[in-house]
Amino acid sequence: ETGVTQSPTHLIKTRGQQVTLRCSSQSGHNTVSWYQQALGQGPQFIFQYYREEENGRGNFPPRFSGLQFPNYSSELNVNALELDDSALYLCASSLSLGRLTYNEQFFGPGTRLTVL
Amino acid sequence: AQSVTQLDSQVPVFEEAPVELRCNYSSSVSVYLFWYVQYPNQGLQLLLKYLSGSTLVKGINGFEAEFNKSQTSFHLRKPSVHISDTAEYFCAVSDTGSNYKLTFGKGTLLTVNP
């Protein structure tokens, strides 16, 4: 069974640029969540995708967007990068069996984005 | 909305000593509670979780936590730590009604010294 993988591992961009981060879910999982972890902070929920549709969003501006593909892999896109977007971006996959059912989230190793 | 407060940003201890990492939460609805561990340059690994039932929860690597509803706390404990337990520990909550979103504390860096 393959765990959650993310690419790239590290990325350096300049302010104003756009970036795409990728996540491959654990085998059999149908839900992907994205989190931003700034240095010295806990992860913050960005959004979740379930069966290719957004299923909840945290307090992030619209320039943070995502996609989920039929194979349940996912992308996180960030437009007009700002210095404060520098962070570790974590992807977590889970198998959703129902809204009131606990679904354990399995985290990938993250992509470290540096914005200069 | 929920919030999580981890009361200690850093906890240094000696090897084989007991340790307690403190976590308090705030929520107007029922919650699930979690502890995650993050080793350097790695993602998050679930240590243990409280969903319902017994308030004393046992997890991996000898860790346990106790849910105290009246004090809105979920403190993590280990009776005897090892050097390999050195890592960042995060307490998290989610709403039982829509449990897709985890709200994390700022983390506690546990450093185990020889």
Side-chain angles (χ1 to χ4, degrees), chain B residues 11-13 17-21 63 76-81 85 110 112:
Chain B
V11 173
V13 295
V19 70
E20 178 180 81
L21 306 184
F63 285 94
L76 181 71
R77 300 185 183 100
K78 186 170 183 177
S80 176
V81 294
D85 292 324
L110 173 64
V112 181

Side-chain angles (χ1 to χ4, degrees), chain B residues 87-98:
Chain B
E88 189 90 31
Y89 291 80
F90 293 96
C91 181
V93 302
S94 72
D95 173 359
T96 61
S98 53

Side-chain angles (χ1 to χ4, degrees), chain B residues 35-101:
Chain B
W35 276 98
Y36 285 85
V37 61
Q38 186 175 38
Y39 298 102
N41 301 314
Q42 294 189 27
L44 300 172
Q45 180 183 9
L46 181 65
L47 272 180
L48 48 78
K49 60 184 181 286
Y50 172 78
L51 305 182
S52 65
S54 173
T55 57
L56 182 63
V57 178
K58 294 189 183 297
I60 62 172
N61 301 340
F63 285 94
E64 65 179 34
E66 185 155 20
F67 169 51
N68 188 318
K69 189 174 182 178
S70 63
Q71 297 187 3
T72 60
S73 67
F74 191 55
H75 301 331
L76 181 71
R77 300 185 183 100
K78 186 170 183 177
S80 176
V81 294
H82 303 292
I83 299 284
S84 59
D85 292 324
T86 295
E88 189 90 31
Y89 291 80
F90 293 96
C91 181
V93 302
S94 72
D95 173 359
T96 61
S98 53
N99 60 76
Y100 56 84
K101 171 187 171 182

